[in-house]
Amino acid sequence: MKPEQLYQHLKEISEKLGIEVMEQSFKQAGFPVKSGFCIVKEEKRFIMDRNLSQFNKNRVLIEFLRQQPIDEIFIPPAVREALGGK
């Protein structure tokens, strides 16, 4: 599976959990900022640094999803393998 396809699947899993994945550029922040989960006006969001490589976007989102209750969600086998078989 191509990295871009994996990323799309990971975003879909997040959306099934009610978590919107948004990409933002952190270059103008003026202080160190990392991609991560937050709640904005009672809406769950995962803010992804747009400037990360595709590999790092996948890695960050996989690390986050491994901590989420994804057992009841259908996940294609290749994506489940990327998530560590959870």
Side-chain angles (χ1 to χ4, degrees), residues 35-78:
S35 298
F37 175 76
C38 63
I39 298 175
V40 178
K41 295 184 181 180
E42 299 183 25
E43 294 181 18
K44 297 176 183 177
R45 297 185 181 169
F46 190 93
I47 311 295
M48 180 68 70
D49 184 351
R50 177 181 299 147
N51 300 304
L52 290 176
S53 68
Q54 190 64 59
F55 174 82
N56 283 327
K57 287 179 184 179
N58 289 346
R59 181 185 55 78
V60 168
L61 205 45
I62 285 169
E63 287 176 12
F64 171 70
L65 289 172
R66 283 181 177 162
Q67 300 171 22
Q68 302 306 307
I70 59 173
D71 294 332
E72 300 298 319
I73 298 173
F74 171 76
I75 301 172

Side-chain angles (χ1 to χ4, degrees), residues 17-46:
L17 293 169
I19 302 167
E20 180 183 5
V21 177
M22 303 174 64
E23 290 195 19
Q24 302 264 328
S25 177
F26 295 159
K27 286 185 177 183
Q28 302 293 329
F31 51 89
V33 180
K34 291 184 179 182
S35 298
F37 175 76
C38 63
I39 298 175
V40 178
K41 295 184 181 180
E42 299 183 25
E43 294 181 18
K44 297 176 183 177
R45 297 185 181 169
F46 190 93

